[in-house]
Amino acid sequence: MPSYTAPIRDMQFVLHEMLDISRQEIPGYADLDADFTAAILEEAGKLSSGVLAPLNLTGDHQGCRLENEVVHTPEGFKAAFDQIREGGWTAIDVAEQYGGQGLPYLMHTAANEPMVSANMALNMYQGLTHGAYSAIHIHGSDEQKARWLPKLGSCEWTGTMNLTEPHCGTDLGLMRTKAVPQENGTYRISGQKIFISAGEHDMAENIVHLVLAKIPGGPEGIKGVSLFIVPKFLVNEDGSLGARNGVACGNLEEKMGIHGNATCVMNYDDAEGYLLGEAHKGMRAMFTMMNEARLGVGLQGWAQSEVAYQNALAYAKDRLQGRAVTGAKNPEGPADPLIVHPDIRRSLMDQKSFNEAARAFTYWGAMLIDRSHKAGDAEAEAMISLLTPIIKGFLTDKGFEMCVQAQQVFGGHGYIEDWGMSQFVRDARIAMIYEGANGVQALDLVGRKLAAQGGKPMMTLIEEIKVFCKENAEDADFARDFIEPLKSASKDMQQAAMFFMQNGMKDPNAALAGSSDFMNLMGHVCLGWTWARMAKAAQAGLDAGTGDRGFYETKLATGRYYMARQLPATKMHLARIESGAAPVMALEADAF
Ligand SMILES: Cc1cc2nc3c(=O)[nH]c(=O)nc-3n(C[C@H](O)[C@H](O)[C@H](O)COP(=O)(O)OP(=O)(O)OC[C@H]3O[C@@H](n4cnc5c(N)ncnc54)[C@H](O)[C@@H]3O)c2cc1C
């Protein structure tokens, strides 16, 4: 059975040595000293490795079961979910007035990491609830907030997001679910939603669905979509549960992974619903919480890669096959462990150097969200909007790739279910698809985010990298290993952006044919920059002589690996982008 240990030292390094969080001028951050965050992360780690991880395989093997409109979750899930609730883990960043701890979103993100690594399917029940909480928190009336938020914050009631319909996924303007206004101000919702995560289950007494639907007579297409709160059980004036509402799970999808999470067909039949935010502004309401939701999915991608890596590493040290080409490393044994082989090392370094940078980049993204929400910093808001497609798209693409690499370390055993490596691959795969498929993330990056505010956020990013490079060019070794590769990759990114500017207007296909390459190119630059920042912090740790030399030296060596072996990918992506649309669009549809 696979195992998991929360990488607390690395998490703490990012929070305190790279991001220096307790000195940031963001409300609530001054309290986040190293002892405080360590206490939270260690407890989250214990719960994750002791309770959640052992249930991961059970969840995968048993899956969910639908009987008489009730979905039964795998054995042990409910008890574990109770422990998550009772420990207050669902309410870390929930406002104090709604019963939460009111900590920054960054702390929610960091404490969430081990739970996602340990059991992604189980964690999704609280993840979606967090999304519903945020939507109501931002867009709800005072009465709606008072009614729904305390129970969603504590996860006594769980939440869902209902966008997808059989004929509409990416193109939500095609939506057919309708919401008919009633004289008492409520709406009657009818239609079918598919693929609804946590749509029905046996772990909470009520489920609060957030549903996108069209009010008849409203604008055509996406502009006519509104957002509604539709509970499974109606709620009485005194807060007690009332009659069952007209919403039920019609079917459970059989799927590739996350078997412990119920993916439901939800049928709405004249269900009572309450408008959330303004009529016909449902997409806007969804968008305001998109950065958070997508950051959460990005984290799923690399959190699976982290747990897969931990198991691949243990296996590579244990499994004896062949001899090191430079001479036996385990002469008493029949063979050397896999880890002596350079190609296995390459694979482990790929995984390790990705995971650590992805963690730091995501935590920084969470800090930008706090800066934007808690300190009202518009630049931080613009920056996280620009980076969201990278966090969601690039980190989940790479996270999946790294899970496959970790599986590969196991050879044939990686393909056998009992080892659990196949589950990491299967579970990680969905993060590339939902919350906006990754091709659409790339489209969003090139089509909207790059040109947002006349390109200002992109120029700010480039400038920040430039300033960092200038300020850290003095140490010759550091400059050679980190600054020069970063400068070169950043130039590739600027050249690619320039190509889009020069060609995108006259031939939009030229930009869109290169969108996935650009997401990759920019993703590498972002992780390269993150590595340079981490390396600087590690060097400072070494210079301070705090006695943690092994950690800092390992950090620097891992960073050098990323700069030397991963970052050069920007050159390939640039060449592809500059080849334009012609090679991509050369064939007519019927010539394929
Ligand atoms: C396990 C699971 C859980 C899910 N959970 C939820 C949930 O809780 N709530 C919810 O509402 N939905 C959920 N979804 C649905 C998910 O968000 C959608 O499947 C996803 O958004 C893609 O929509 P689609 O499947 O209709 O694909 P389509 O929109 O048909 O797209 C198919 C492919 O075409 C690409 N594509 C589409 N348009 C363009 C374009 N203009 N340019 C370039 N490429 C394009 C896409 O990137 C994709 O690769 C879930 C799905 C699964 C499988």
Side-chain angles (χ1 to χ4, degrees):
M1 194 201 269
S3 67
Y4 171 73
T5 308
I8 308 281
R9 178 66 184 97
D10 200 54
M11 296 160 92
Q12 286 281 87
F13 169 80
V14 173
L15 293 176
H16 299 287
E17 296 176 68
M18 176 191 161
L19 297 176
D20 201 5
I21 56 173
S22 59
R23 293 221 194 102
Q24 300 296 321
E25 285 182 5
I26 304 173
Y29 271 52
D31 298 334
L32 304 180
D33 63 40
D35 289 343
F36 179 72
T37 61
I40 293 180
L41 298 180
E42 273 158 21
E43 282 309 309
K46 268 189 224 156
L47 177 70
S48 300
S49 43
V51 178
L52 310 184
L55 285 173
N56 202 34
L57 267 184
T58 314
D60 191 48
H61 290 169
Q62 289 185 3
C64 296
R65 189 167 42 84
L66 175 65
E67 260 174 28
N68 301 327
E69 294 187 355
V70 176
V71 171
H72 300 272
T73 49
E75 250 171 73
F77 266 42
K78 183 164 183 329
F81 199 55
D82 284 342
Q83 267 184 271
I84 293 175
R85 279 192 276 241
E86 282 155 19
W89 295 107
T90 66
I92 287 183
D93 63 333
V94 162
E96 282 166 296
Q97 70 188 111
Y98 301 118
Q101 296 158 53
L103 289 172
Y105 175 67
L106 172 62
M107 280 319 293
H108 160 81
T109 304
N112 209 233
E113 177 196 326
M115 301 194 213
V116 180
S117 282
N119 196 325
M120 177 169 151
L122 175 55
N123 196 71
M124 282 174 66
Y125 292 95
Q126 65 152 321
L128 284 145
T129 309
H130 194 273
Y133 169 90
S134 299
I136 298 175
H137 193 232
I138 297 169
H139 299 286
S141 63
D142 288 345
E143 190 273 331
Q144 285 174 331
K145 288 186 200 175
R147 169 152 300 212
W148 306 107
L149 294 186
K151 298 277 191 184
L152 285 173
S154 62
C155 267
E156 273 170 86
W157 299 349
T158 60
T160 70
M161 308 302 283
N162 290 237
L163 291 79
T164 310
E165 297 181 9
H167 56 283
C168 94
T170 304
D171 188 354
L172 291 167
L174 300 172
M175 187 170 296
R176 288 188 197 140
T177 298
K178 52 175 202 226
V180 179
Q182 306 295 299
E183 278 179 5
N184 65 1
T186 64
Y187 289 77
R188 289 277 157 188
I189 317 288
S190 300
Q192 188 178 68
K193 296 285 179 181
I194 62 165
F195 300 163
I196 304 308
S197 299
E200 174 59 42
H201 58 84
D202 56 1
M203 298 198 297
E205 57 187 24
N206 202 6
I207 301 177
V208 181
H209 303 287
L210 292 197
V211 183
L212 283 179
K214 283 184 171 173
I215 302 171
E220 286 296 305
I222 199 74
K223 294 198 171 124
V225 170
S226 308
L227 186 57
F228 298 89
I229 300 171
V230 187
K232 173 176 166 184
F233 288 101
L234 298 177
V235 178
N236 299 319
E237 279 307 310
D238 64 358
S240 62
L241 294 186
R244 178 77 200 248
N245 202 0
V247 48
C249 172
N251 197 15
L252 271 186
E253 304 291 355
E254 287 290 331
K255 56 192 193 293
M256 177 178 173
I258 51 164
H259 291 149
N261 194 271
T263 307
C264 305
V265 173
M266 298 304 297
N267 295 321
Y268 291 85
D269 185 9
D270 253 356
E272 184 166 311
Y274 318 106
L275 182 66
L276 179 59
E278 287 178 58
H280 314 310
K281 300 273 166 64
M283 286 317 291
R284 194 191 287 176
M286 278 281 170
F287 269 114
T288 51
M289 38 167 289
M290 211 72 109
N291 292 339
E292 262 186 47
R294 291 185 170 169
L295 184 140
V297 174
L299 185 150
Q300 287 182 332
W302 59 261
Q304 287 307 290
S305 167
E306 168 67 34
V307 63
Y309 161 74
Q310 288 188 12
N311 286 280
L313 175 61
Y315 192 81
K317 287 182 174 173
D318 186 57
R319 172 84 169 165
L320 305 181
Q321 289 293 297
R323 287 288 181 199
V325 279
T326 50
K329 294 283 189 288
N330 176 34
E332 281 80 44
D336 286 340
L338 287 174
I339 199 163
V340 303
H341 304 304
D343 191 55
I344 294 286
R345 290 287 179 101
R346 183 235 3 113
S347 169
L348 292 171
M349 287 301 273
D350 276 356
Q351 295 165 50
K352 180 173 167 60
S353 65
F354 166 74
N355 294 342
E356 292 178 16
R359 169 177 303 114
F361 185 56
T362 305
Y363 285 12
W364 179 53
M367 190 164 109
L368 287 174
I369 290 179
D370 280 329
R371 203 181 276 294
S372 139
H373 290 178
K374 288 181 177 287
D377 183 333
E379 269 196 27
E381 170 69 30
M383 184 59 72
I384 188 61
S385 291
L386 172 69
L387 300 179
T388 292
I390 307 284
I391 293 176
K392 197 289 176 179
F394 180 69
L395 298 189
T396 60
D397 277 356
K398 286 283 162 200
F400 173 75
E401 200 182 308
M402 294 306 137
C403 286
V404 173
Q405 288 222 31
Q407 183 190 34
Q408 189 76 10
V409 169
F410 280 70
H413 301 275
Y415 202 69
I416 303 302
E417 291 296 339
D418 284 353
W419 286 91
M421 299 307 285
S422 152
Q423 183 186 1
F424 298 136
V425 171
R426 289 184 286 101
D427 286 0
R429 183 68 180 87
I430 187 58
M432 301 158 74
I433 297 172
Y434 58 24
E435 200 52 52
N438 284 358
V440 176
Q441 298 299 322
L443 217 68
D444 178 45
L445 177 64
V446 170
R448 289 179 55 234
K449 302 293 173 62
L450 213 48
Q453 299 179 16
K456 191 163 165 252
M458 186 65 186
M459 285 186 287
T460 306
L461 178 72
I462 292 168
E463 188 56 28
E464 282 186 26
I465 295 175
K466 225 184 239 168
V467 169
F468 178 90
C469 289
K470 221 182 234 167
E471 285 175 355
N472 293 285
E474 266 178 27
D475 178 326
D477 290 346
F478 191 81
R480 181 198 61 225
D481 295 343
F482 291 97
I483 299 300
E484 289 311 320
L486 177 58
K487 264 194 200 161
S488 168
S490 179
K491 259 189 209 142
D492 293 340
M493 180 171 77
Q494 291 171 61
Q495 199 171 318
M498 188 62 75
F499 175 84
F500 292 142
M501 265 193 271
Q502 286 166 349
N503 297 280
M505 287 299 260
K506 53 180 191 275
D507 179 10
N509 278 347
L512 300 188
S515 56
S516 282
D517 279 294
F518 189 74
M519 185 172 79
N520 274 281
L521 194 168
M522 189 168 159
H524 278 298
V525 173
C526 288
L527 293 200
W529 185 33
T530 304
W531 262 118
R533 292 163 71 187
M534 286 199 288
K536 189 181 164 187
Q539 190 60 55
L542 267 187
D543 295 345
T546 53
D548 210 352
R549 285 196 79 79
F551 176 84
Y552 295 126
E553 279 165 1
T554 302
K555 186 59 85 180
L556 283 163
T558 311
R560 282 186 210 108
Y561 178 89
Y562 192 89
M563 304 311 269
R565 299 274 311 206
Q566 297 289 357
L567 202 53
T570 57
K571 310 267 171 264
M572 176 192 72
H573 292 299
L574 176 62
R576 286 181 180 174
I577 289 165
E578 290 187 331
S579 74
V584 173
M585 304 301 281
L587 299 182
E588 292 300 328
D590 56 10
F592 278 88

